[in-house]
Amino acid sequence: MFSDKFASGKLANGEKTGNKGAIRDISKWAFQESNVLRIDDVSHHLVGETTPKEAYTTNDNVVYTMSISRFVPATSSWEPYSNIKDMQLEFTMLDPHVRTALAPVPGKPGQYEVEFRAPDRHGVFKFIVDYRRRGWSSLYSATTVAVVPPRHDGYPRFLSAAWPYYVGAISTSVGFVLFSALYLGGAANDKTKKKRQ
């Protein structure tokens, strides 16, 4: 493929083929001189905060942000790249619990961001971005975080949805006390009746 005969070949009508350009593009891609992407920064935090947490609570609203750059061979430098439209973020614990699009942020070149709700399941989760497209270098990032249930003081003590259970438990307790009092009181009345006779 890289032979002079193949690169300078001609068509039947005498025109040059596009082999030389194709060889140049393939070799630049193979030697990481073109279409090279890299992940510059990854961050995650709660909505309304800026510092990342080691553990999130179930049903927290989480923001995940990623910065991506593209190598420019003409200047041998990296510049922010925002033209990826089909990148996805997976929030996984063995299987993906959340899979959502990681969209570019308007007005911030090279930055991609998504906001999602942590699943109602506790365990050790990973933020995973695995972007593989033909003709581009691949991007992979995995960050491990814990998702924990709410603390004992992190939710209301009495839940409004549980009132039927509260009423049932209280009425059973009151009924038991009344039954015990009537039964024991009835037994005392029987003894006094027998003594009178």
Side-chain angles (χ1 to χ4, degrees), residues 76-88:
S76 295
S77 62
W78 294 89
E79 67 179 22
Y81 186 69
S82 296
N83 290 335
I84 300 174
K85 306 296 184 206
D86 57 347
M87 191 162 38
Q88 292 182 337

Side-chain angles (χ1 to χ4, degrees), residues 58-73:
T58 56
N59 296 321
D60 274 349
N61 287 326
V62 180
V63 176
Y64 182 84
T65 307
M66 175 180 278
S67 298
I68 296 177
S69 294
R70 176 184 179 185
F71 183 70
V72 180

Side-chain angles (χ1 to χ4, degrees), residues 105-176:
V105 178
K108 294 184 179 177
Q111 191 166 351
Y112 296 79
E113 186 174 280
V114 67
E115 178 183 333
F116 66 95
R117 187 176 61 85
D120 192 13
R121 168 118 189 215
H122 61 277
V124 178
F125 283 80
K126 282 185 179 181
F127 294 102
I128 295 179
V129 174
D130 190 6
Y131 183 76
R132 299 172 191 272
R133 294 297 178 268
R134 186 176 297 153
W136 290 93
S137 60
S138 60
L139 297 173
Y140 182 80
S141 172
T143 307
T144 304
V145 295
V147 176
V148 296
R151 293 172 40 95
H152 69 282
D153 61 351
Y155 51 89
R157 177 149 323 260
F158 294 104
L159 304 174
S160 60
W163 277 109
Y165 301 103
Y166 300 150
V167 170
I170 291 170
S171 64
T172 302
S173 300
V174 169
F176 176 75

Side-chain angles (χ1 to χ4, degrees), residues 4 16 18 26 43 56 66-67 71 86 94 98-99 102 108 110 128 152 154-155 196-197:
D4 289 339
K16 288 187 175 183
I26 290 171
S43 67
Y56 294 100
M66 175 180 278
S67 298
F71 183 70
D86 57 347
L94 298 179
V98 176
R99 182 178 288 144
L102 195 57
K108 294 184 179 177
I128 295 179
H152 69 282
Y155 51 89
R196 286 183 191 167
Q197 292 176 355

Side-chain angles (χ1 to χ4, degrees), residues 8-23:
S8 61
K10 295 188 179 187
L11 297 174
N13 60 4
E15 292 181 18
K16 288 187 175 183
T17 62
N19 293 348
K20 191 172 187 178
I23 291 170

Side-chain angles (χ1 to χ4, degrees), residues 23-93:
I23 291 170
R24 185 179 54 249
D25 290 343
I26 290 171
S27 62
K28 281 186 178 182
W29 177 79
F31 295 116
Q32 300 284 304
E33 293 176 2
S34 69
N35 292 348
V36 180
L37 299 174
R38 76 172 180 190
I39 298 172
D40 293 328
D41 185 38
V42 171
S43 67
H44 53 86
H45 54 83
L46 287 174
V47 172
E49 295 183 8
T50 56
T51 57
K53 295 181 72 173
E54 290 183 17
Y56 294 100
T57 306
T58 56
N59 296 321
D60 274 349
N61 287 326
V62 180
V63 176
Y64 182 84
T65 307
M66 175 180 278
S67 298
I68 296 177
S69 294
R70 176 184 179 185
F71 183 70
V72 180
T75 60
S76 295
S77 62
W78 294 89
E79 67 179 22
Y81 186 69
S82 296
N83 290 335
I84 300 174
K85 306 296 184 206
D86 57 347
M87 191 162 38
Q88 292 182 337
L89 167 71
E90 294 180 351
F91 195 58
T92 66
M93 183 176 69

